[in-house]
Every structure is written in structure tokens, then in C-alpha cells.
Amino acid sequence: SVLNRILLKMWDEMAEMSMHHLKPNDFVYIWGNLGSYMKADKNGNPRMFYEVETLRLQNYIRNLCNYDRLFDHSMLGLK
């Protein structure tokens, strides 16, 4: 199966903490509003892309095979 990426939009303290703790390809659990938009892919074909206006980021996992790296952002007051 193809793994799709979804753009996460976030601001202020949540954005700062995410920039500090998250790395490319981390899996995250979020709450927010899902939106979509059409954009041409690298071949010029129209494609649907998705984005989430993130309201809450509770924790993340570095990768699916390493669950011991679970981090709970709620302890930082990100609700």
C-alpha cells in the first residue's frame, strides 16, 4: 500500500515544540480539522492533497517498530 503524507498546520507553542521534538517520518496522533485541495503532481496530473489544521498534538512515535519512544506532549500543557 502507498503511505500518504498529510500536511499539518500548527502555530505558537505547539509548532515550537513540534519543531524541537518531531523528525521527518515520525508518526503522530493529532486532533484537528481535515481539509483537501487539488494540485498538479510532478507529471502535471491533478491530485488531491490533504492538510489538517492541528488543534491538539498528544504524542508521537518515532517509527512503528519502536513504541518505547512514545512521548506525551500533554505534560507540556499542549491541550
Side-chain angles (χ1 to χ4, degrees):
S1 73
V2 176
L3 182 65
N4 292 315
R5 294 175 187 256
I6 298 176
L7 173 67
L8 300 179
K9 292 182 171 182
M10 57 186 74
W11 294 266
D12 301 325
E13 185 180 1
M14 186 184 312
E16 290 178 30
M17 295 306 298
S18 294
M19 291 295 294
H20 179 73
H21 291 287
L22 296 177
K23 305 292 182 249
N25 299 315
D26 281 351
F27 290 83
V28 296
Y29 295 95
I30 58 138
W31 287 261
N33 300 313
L34 177 64
S36 63
Y37 58 97
M38 295 293 291
K39 184 177 176 183
D41 65 15
K42 63 182 178 181
N43 298 319
N45 300 317
R47 183 171 166 219
M48 182 73 69
F49 289 86
Y50 299 94
E51 64 187 20
V52 174
E53 184 175 336
T54 307
L55 302 175
R56 183 173 179 192
L57 173 70
Q58 184 173 348
N59 54 42
Y60 70 85
I61 300 172
R62 286 273 178 229
N63 61 57
L64 289 179
C65 299
N66 194 1
Y67 287 101
D68 62 327
R69 306 271 320 243
L70 189 65
F71 182 87
D72 185 359
H73 284 267
S74 63
M75 68 181 191
L76 299 172
L78 300 178
K79 297 178 182 174

